[in-house]
Amino acid sequence: MEQELNNVVFPKYLNATSEIGSKSSSSASIIYRISTNEEFEIFKKSNLKGKFAVVLQADLINKKNLRDLEATNKVEGLIVIYDDTKEPVPYSPDKECPNCEFGMYTEGEKANYKWNPYGDGLLYEYFSFPIYGMSLDKPYEVEGVNAIIKADEFNKKRNYKKYPLYSIKFDSFMYASKNSETCLSRDHCDPIGGNSVWGTYSKQINPDDGKKIVIVSSQIDGNSLFHDNTIGTNSQIGGFVANLAIADALSKSEVLPEQFQNHIVFTFFSGESYGYGGSQRFVKDISSYECKSHDYNSNYMCSQFSSCQDPCMYVDDFKNITLNNIKGIIELNQLTCSGCDDINNPAYYMHVDDETDPETLKITNLISRVYSTYEDSYSSYNIKPAWEGLEKNLGLPPASAQSFLKKQKIPAVVIGDFQTEYTNKHYHSGFDVESDSVKYDNTVCKTADIIAKAIWLYAQNKESDLEINSIPPSVSVDCQYVNDLIHCLSNNITCSLTSKLIASNNGATLNSEVSKISHYSGVFNGVSLSGAINSNYNYDSWIANYAIIKSTGRNTTIPCTIINDCLDLEYPNYKDLDKDAKAKIDALPYSLRNYQCILGYCIEGRSYAHPAYGIGIEHDAKKDLFYINDRNLPNWTESRWDKNRLTIYFVSSKTFQFIELLIGILSIILTICGYYYIKNYAKRNMKIA
Amino acid sequence: MGFVSYLAYLLIAYGPSITIFILYISRSAQLVILVVSSAFFWLISILISSIYWFIANLVFKYEKLENANSDKDYYKRIIYLMLISVLSVFTQELFRWLFWKLLNKAEAGLNAMSEKPKSPLNKYHFSFASGLGFGVMSGLVSYSTVLADSLKPGTILCGACPTMPMPFIAALITSIFVLLHIVWSIIAFNAFEKKEKLLIAWVFIGHLMASLATILTYTDRMKFGCPICFVILVSILGYTTYIAFKRFTKIKMA
């Protein structure tokens, strides 16, 4: 009598003051489908009675439409259908100035500048009805979508009035309520975030070694209305892949990067979409971190292998990075040029905070000179300072670099495919996807190549024209690597490159049914505390982790299939050790070992996980739970929820049900009458009592 | 689908039988026992019918035809339904006869224990109670799961009349069948006693026609399936009641 459908939901998440997202479950309501703007107007003006489950085409989703629907008071729940048949209108559910309330600019124009012109802030609104999403992209949701469409056609023929009609029941229970503080104390929610990853070529970073640190940074998490439908090819995958490609290019330098005059640190920040969770926490920890206790408690979430128990910190190698030692930050922002005016003439811009600072200009000048030196005569690519030709410098766009500059003035350049406003027409939207037919040779690959060369010079303190002209040809980005990675991350995680990366160390295989993964950062929970980089199926951290070790580590050229094949390299006398020592070595987590098996070879290298969640939340190691320690700092949490259900079935009208009841009562009355009639008849006509 | 509907279906399907039981049967312990035992006999007959279905499935692979879309498979299903219905009706009537035989042996004792030992009406009381037992058990077996499911949200629509929920139609059919079993038992016991073959045949044919008529409500291939089904059922009920009544009024009062 009922059919259950697979779906995803716009969950409830909370901050210090309020809850956003969609409300918990509700009762049954008639299916009503809206697929065009005209139908939308018809629904708003109609005088149909009752409550409806509105099935909305995804390109009609925006704040105004949803608020209008709410105002009709006829909407009991909303189902959003994603199908890729038509080109969606430019739209972004994020704010016009994303994350600006947590950035480095607190007042003036830069604090509210509208970088995201198509944004309306839908992601931060609260709705009084549940919002579910279904996509024709996912094979296990197609059946459900078709069922809903058929049901609506049936209802439409009956003008949504003539019962019986198809109805849908939403069942979703969100545990959290009120605000982050309340739900964290009740253990009904988790901080939004995950694990950032960073790596470096250098074997040791010492604050007193006379070397400074060049940070190459990118964001790896995306965002959209439905976290399960979050891809973000153009929002963050471009920058993420460029970062990995630069690490790969520099690793091919004949002069080993670990011998450069400066350290290079590659950072991959997660949780950035929600108040710069990854970068702000990283900056906070490298400026002030102190381990208070190493006492391990087996009942608590903190792993016994963590370098510190209070606060719970899995690895503490970041201690050697200090804000004073950072020479410069180069951040790879949106780089795919998906919305550029002319895709054949991609234009890139270098954004800085202070265009007069000579140290900052050193970086931008180097990049410009590398560009002009290595520019193809027939190429139409262009990269130049963002403030060039503008009345005034707009400052840094929303970027992880803002977290560093908020604390201390550091030379920072953010590279993006936009000048005064995002060219990406679907920033942080479910429509931010790209097919495999798009190639990034002229966009992401080229940009990464120029930046890699510039970093090669910058990290070696080389500035002269002669040095620029003699960058070895080995230092160049592999465009095949860039294209493969972007395609794999966006469209098919089971492709050769990423499935091999994921299979590093222990041969973990992917469920072949899942091809598109979500790039939402997820939540930071007990599992994340143990530095589990692949927790909550966040493949971005997982892939960044292994790819950066491969690039920054030393390839021993010894083949392997699992990590234990490389044990001899780290412990040459492993065979002679006693049982206890062997057990101790075997128990050590892969991420803490010095030799890992990646893409078939033993690589000597490390990468480091770093907690990423809003710095307004802290983990109390003594009580082993999370709490709000500053309501004014980002403290986004996501509610825990039961499995969401969507069931579809027929209903008949209330009047009909009461008529049925009437008939039932009538039949009993008739029986009683019949009995007495026959009894009297027998009495009268048979003279027998 | 909702508590209101559930209550409605309960009253429609089992209301008459419950009312009759409370008003009429419960006055006499023997009648209660007769109801229960005849119910048990019907249960055995339906158990044997289920064995026929089991064999049919084994031999003819009926289950594969369940999701038939082609006309050929569809007609095959109908033919099988009809064949098994004939067998099942035959079995039920057979057990009605067997119950009558049992009743015969016990009649002297039953009569002695009743209020008016020599009343000719007793036979009618007994056959009425047997019929009720048959009917109630038939109703329970065929309708109780549908009734339980009707509490869940949502409903299935009747195949032949898609504006009506299926449990509603089924409840009506069940209540008619309960009454039908009562009058069939009255006539049948009378006919067994007087060895009137024509009347026995009528009971058998009437039962068969009523069972087959319910098939009309499943499918949307025939127009007006639902109304025709009910017309058939109600007319069989009417005519059978008329025959039973005539017999009833012809009782010679001693």
Side-chain angles (χ1 to χ4, degrees):
Chain A
M1 285 183 174
E2 50 200 30
Q3 179 181 358
E4 248 191 60
L5 316 169
N6 283 311
N7 61 79
V8 298
V9 77
F10 178 37
K12 189 185 275 193
Y13 27 109
L14 309 95
N15 60 9
T17 50
S18 52
E19 17 182 82
I20 62 175
S22 58
K23 190 172 171 242
S24 290
S25 58
S26 60
S27 54
S29 37
I30 310 296
I31 297 180
Y32 190 113
R33 182 159 174 236
I34 299 177
S35 23
T36 63
N37 273 312
E38 293 83 32
E39 288 176 4
F40 197 87
E41 295 302 318
I42 294 174
F43 178 77
K44 279 198 281 186
K45 293 202 196 95
S46 76
N47 54 0
L48 293 165
K49 279 202 222 104
K51 295 276 189 171
F52 293 89
V54 173
V55 178
L56 204 58
Q57 210 64 19
D59 53 319
L60 290 171
I61 290 291
N62 58 52
K63 186 160 83 168
K64 177 179 177 301
N65 281 352
L66 293 197
R67 284 284 174 231
D68 283 348
L69 280 179
E70 211 180 15
T72 62
N73 266 328
K74 286 187 271 186
V75 178
E76 190 81 16
L78 189 64
I79 301 176
V80 181
I81 307 275
Y82 283 89
D83 72 32
D84 31 341
T85 46
K86 28 184 181 158
E87 175 68 34
V89 294
Y91 173 72
S92 163
D94 208 331
K95 295 200 173 125
E96 280 177 314
C97 191
N99 271 331
C100 290
E101 66 268 41
F102 303 116
M104 62 189 277
Y105 303 115
T106 44
E107 52 196 16
E109 271 191 35
K110 291 180 186 172
N112 300 312
Y113 182 74
K114 298 189 191 338
W115 288 103
N116 184 20
Y118 298 109
D120 67 4
L122 177 63
L123 288 177
Y124 300 93
E125 295 290 316
Y126 177 73
F127 293 94
S128 56
F129 44 75
I131 301 179
Y132 280 52
M134 296 173 77
S135 150
L136 279 171
D137 241 352
K138 303 220 173 101
Y140 48 87
E141 285 178 8
V142 172
E143 204 186 308
V145 174
N146 289 333
I148 289 183
I149 293 177
K150 265 177 78 178
D152 172 75
E153 280 168 8
F154 181 91
N155 282 0
K156 204 181 199 140
K157 282 204 207 113
R158 303 170 84 95
N159 285 323
Y160 305 104
K161 267 197 274 200
K162 206 169 138 214
Y163 282 89
L165 294 169
Y166 274 106
S167 195
I168 248 190
K169 183 160 187 278
F170 299 88
D171 262 309
S172 78
F173 185 66
M174 301 282 156
Y175 283 92
S177 60
K178 281 189 79 179
N179 55 37
S180 288
E181 197 157 5
T182 316
C183 75
L184 279 175
S185 64
R186 292 182 190 162
D187 208 21
H188 284 164
C189 60
D190 298 294
I192 294 181
N195 270 307
S196 303
V197 173
W198 65 270
T200 176
Y201 303 102
S202 318
K203 295 269 188 304
Q204 276 270 47
I205 297 182
N206 214 318
D208 319 310
D209 58 10
K211 290 186 181 180
K212 293 220 167 221
I213 301 171
V214 176
I215 293 190
V216 187
S217 164
S218 62
Q219 171 178 344
I220 61 174
D221 69 301
N223 201 5
S224 78
L225 193 61
F226 297 106
H227 290 155
D228 279 6
N229 269 354
T230 305
I231 307 283
T233 310
N234 305 305
S235 298
Q236 87 283 350
I237 293 185
F240 174 23
V241 168
N243 199 348
L244 285 175
I246 292 174
D248 176 60
L250 287 171
S251 73
K252 296 184 260 189
S253 159
E254 285 90 1
V255 178
L256 293 178
E258 63 200 51
Q259 290 162 355
F260 285 179
Q261 280 78 347
N262 296 291
H263 300 290
I264 304 179
V265 167
F266 297 95
T267 56
F268 300 88
F269 291 121
S270 182
E272 293 296 89
S273 308
Y274 286 92
Y276 299 120
S279 54
Q280 282 196 352
R281 185 161 289 275
F282 186 77
V283 168
K284 174 171 166 237
D285 286 335
I286 63 175
S287 4
S288 59
Y289 165 76
E290 190 197 322
C291 184
K292 289 182 238 153
S293 160
H294 294 279
D295 296 332
Y296 170 61
N297 183 334
S298 58
N299 291 327
Y300 284 178
M301 298 187 286
C302 201
S303 155
Q304 58 176 273
F305 299 104
S306 298
S307 61
C308 182
Q309 296 288 328
D310 181 2
C312 181
M313 195 60 78
Y314 186 60
V315 288
D316 62 1
D317 304 68
F318 63 86
K319 277 189 311 202
N320 297 327
I321 303 175
T322 58
L323 283 174
N324 292 328
N325 270 359
I326 298 180
K327 184 173 160 80
I329 301 172
I330 298 174
E331 180 166 339
L332 292 326
N333 205 287
Q334 301 176 64
L335 294 180
T336 53
C337 219
S338 60
C340 284
D341 288 332
D342 183 359
I343 191 66
N344 293 319
N345 293 312
Y348 288 85
Y349 299 90
M350 301 180 278
H351 298 263
V352 303
D353 174 48
D354 183 358
E355 73 277 23
T356 60
D357 173 45
E359 288 303 316
T360 313
L361 289 176
K362 246 196 212 167
I363 308 178
T364 54
N365 285 340
L366 254 182
I367 296 175
S368 298
R369 285 159 70 197
V370 167
Y371 159 65
S372 48
T373 311
Y374 292 90
E375 172 194 9
D376 289 328
S377 51
Y378 47 80
S379 155
S380 40
Y381 176 99
N382 200 337
I383 182 166
K384 56 186 180 159
W387 66 93
E388 211 172 88
L390 296 181
E391 260 182 37
K392 53 179 177 339
N393 183 5
L394 299 170
L396 287 180
S400 313
Q402 288 204 17
S403 308
F404 289 83
L405 268 62
K406 196 171 176 176
K407 268 257 161 115
Q408 184 160 321
K409 192 170 156 95
I410 301 173
V413 177
V414 174
I415 320 286
D417 57 13
F418 55 92
Q419 188 183 18
T420 55
E421 53 184 35
Y422 288 169
T423 55
N424 181 355
K425 298 193 171 55
H426 305 287
Y427 179 68
H428 279 175
S429 154
F431 288 112
D432 187 359
V433 295
E434 215 66 72
S435 78
D436 281 353
S437 60
V438 178
K439 299 277 181 264
Y440 300 95
D441 296 51
N442 203 26
T443 49
V444 179
C445 182
K446 184 127 193 172
T447 311
D449 190 56
I450 293 176
I451 304 296
K453 291 176 160 66
I455 293 175
W456 189 87
L457 296 165
Y458 187 56
Q460 297 186 81
N461 295 333
K462 293 186 197 247
E463 298 183 274
S464 72
D465 282 334
L466 181 65
E467 286 163 327
I468 294 179
N469 277 317
S470 49
I471 298 176
S474 55
V475 180
S476 62
V477 164
D478 179 1
C479 286
Q480 185 68 43
Y481 186 55
V482 169
N483 280 322
D484 283 347
L485 258 183
I486 297 183
H487 294 152
C488 294
L489 285 170
S490 304
N491 295 320
N492 187 5
I493 196 73
T494 58
C495 79
S496 166
L497 177 57
T498 41
S499 62
K500 286 203 190 116
L501 274 173
I502 287 172
S504 302
N505 281 343
N506 66 354
T509 48
L510 292 159
N511 181 352
S512 60
E513 274 181 15
V514 176
S515 55
K516 284 194 202 236
I517 51 159
S518 164
H519 295 271
Y520 166 59
S521 64
V523 294
F524 187 85
N525 55 20
V527 180
S528 321
L529 268 179
S530 63
I533 292 181
N534 55 323
S535 70
N536 306 319
Y537 293 95
N538 192 294
Y539 293 99
D540 296 305
S541 307
W542 200 342
I543 286 170
N545 171 45
Y546 287 125
I548 205 65
I549 298 178
K550 179 89 193 340
S551 297
T552 59
R554 177 182 72 90
N555 189 343
T556 62
T557 65
I558 293 178
C560 62
T561 39
I562 53 168
I563 191 173
N564 282 343
D565 292 343
C566 308
L567 263 179
D568 302 330
L569 295 165
E570 195 167 355
Y571 305 99
N573 57 340
Y574 180 76
K575 288 193 273 290
D576 306 323
L577 292 172
D578 63 29
K579 218 170 157 196
D580 283 338
K582 271 195 185 157
K584 204 164 167 210
I585 292 172
D586 285 340
L588 199 63
Y590 304 156
S591 46
L592 295 178
R593 298 196 199 178
N594 288 316
Y595 287 82
Q596 300 192 36
C597 179
I598 300 174
L599 291 179
Y601 291 101
C602 290
I603 312 282
E604 182 190 5
R606 292 279 307 280
S607 80
Y608 310 94
H610 198 95
Y613 57 98
I615 54 173
I617 305 177
E618 277 311 329
H619 176 246
D620 183 341
K622 292 203 180 58
K623 295 190 205 150
D624 202 24
L625 42 74
F626 291 94
Y627 66 98
I628 305 283
N629 76 333
D630 188 336
R631 300 168 106 242
N632 296 321
L633 293 173
N635 47 39
W636 292 104
T637 53
E638 181 182 302
S639 170
R640 301 218 183 122
W641 22 286
D642 282 339
K643 177 170 158 61
N644 324 302
R645 271 199 290 268
L646 207 59
T647 29
I648 189 173
Y649 45 77
F650 270 114
V651 285
S652 55
S653 61
K654 277 276 179 207
T655 22
F656 187 79
Q657 292 178 35
F658 279 103
I659 292 175
E660 287 171 342
L661 189 61
L662 219 64
I663 296 179
I665 297 176
L666 209 70
S667 74
I668 291 194
I669 293 175
L670 278 174
T671 323
I672 297 177
C673 295
Y675 167 72
Y676 282 112
Y677 174 74
I678 296 180
K679 192 164 175 200
N680 286 338
Y681 182 85
K683 248 196 208 166
R684 271 187 286 125
N685 295 358
M686 298 196 189
K687 297 172 191 124
I688 301 171
Chain B
M1 176 196 43
F3 186 67
V4 174
S5 288
Y6 172 78
L7 203 59
Y9 300 145
L10 182 70
L11 291 176
I12 296 175
Y14 300 130
S17 20
I18 295 177
T19 330
I20 295 174
F21 194 87
I22 294 176
L23 290 177
Y24 175 47
I25 308 277
S26 59
R27 295 209 179 158
S28 160
Q30 298 153 316
L31 291 181
V32 172
I33 294 174
L34 277 177
V35 167
V36 173
S37 7
S38 64
F40 178 68
F41 265 71
W42 188 90
L43 203 57
I44 299 185
S45 79
I46 209 67
L47 174 67
I48 295 178
S49 299
S50 68
I51 294 177
Y52 299 149
W53 274 115
F54 185 73
I55 295 174
N57 198 23
L58 227 54
V59 175
F60 299 114
K61 310 256 189 307
Y62 182 81
E63 264 173 5
K64 280 204 193 139
L65 296 172
E66 287 275 288
N67 295 322
N69 278 325
S70 70
D71 271 358
K72 194 169 140 222
D73 281 344
Y74 177 76
Y75 287 126
K76 257 191 179 172
R77 272 181 69 195
I78 302 288
I79 301 291
Y80 285 145
L81 255 173
M82 289 180 162
L83 284 173
I84 306 275
S85 295
V86 171
L87 285 173
S88 172
V89 166
F90 178 73
T91 317
Q92 289 178 49
E93 298 307 324
L94 184 71
F95 272 79
R96 209 195 292 273
W97 178 67
L98 284 173
F99 190 70
W100 172 79
K101 289 209 86 168
L102 189 65
L103 201 57
N104 247 359
K105 295 224 170 83
E107 196 168 353
L110 280 169
N111 269 331
M113 298 291 288
S114 66
E115 264 183 38
K116 299 177 186 352
K118 300 239 174 75
S119 164
L121 261 171
N122 278 345
K123 282 212 191 85
Y124 286 90
H125 286 310
F126 298 154
S127 57
F128 192 102
S130 320
L132 183 67
F134 258 51
V136 161
M137 191 44 96
S138 141
L140 278 175
V141 164
S142 63
Y143 191 66
S144 58
T145 40
V146 176
L147 182 65
D149 279 345
S150 74
L151 260 181
K152 290 188 197 158
T155 179
I156 303 180
L157 298 183
C158 176
C161 41
T163 50
M164 301 276 172
M166 184 271 273
F168 178 60
I169 305 288
L172 289 171
I173 292 179
T174 314
S175 70
I176 296 180
F177 258 83
V178 166
L179 299 171
L180 275 172
H181 272 293
I182 295 176
V183 291
W184 282 330
S185 275
I186 296 177
I187 297 179
F189 283 22
N190 206 324
F192 289 143
E193 199 184 335
K194 307 239 170 80
K195 293 204 179 1
E196 290 177 37
K197 299 230 171 74
L198 212 62
L199 221 48
I200 299 170
W202 166 245
V203 169
F204 178 80
I205 290 175
H207 192 163
L208 191 63
M209 271 171 52
S211 291
L212 293 178
T214 57
I215 298 178
L216 286 172
T217 58
Y218 293 166
T219 164
D220 54 355
R221 285 186 191 220
M222 186 167 165
K223 285 207 170 163
F224 301 118
C226 270
I228 294 182
C229 165
F230 279 106
V231 161
I232 295 178
L233 285 175
V234 171
S235 51
I236 293 178
L237 179 63
Y239 188 58
T240 323
T241 318
Y242 171 68
I243 299 177
F245 224 58
K246 260 177 57 179
R247 300 261 148 170
F248 182 62
T249 55
K250 280 202 194 135
I251 299 175
K252 295 215 175 75
M253 301 302 149

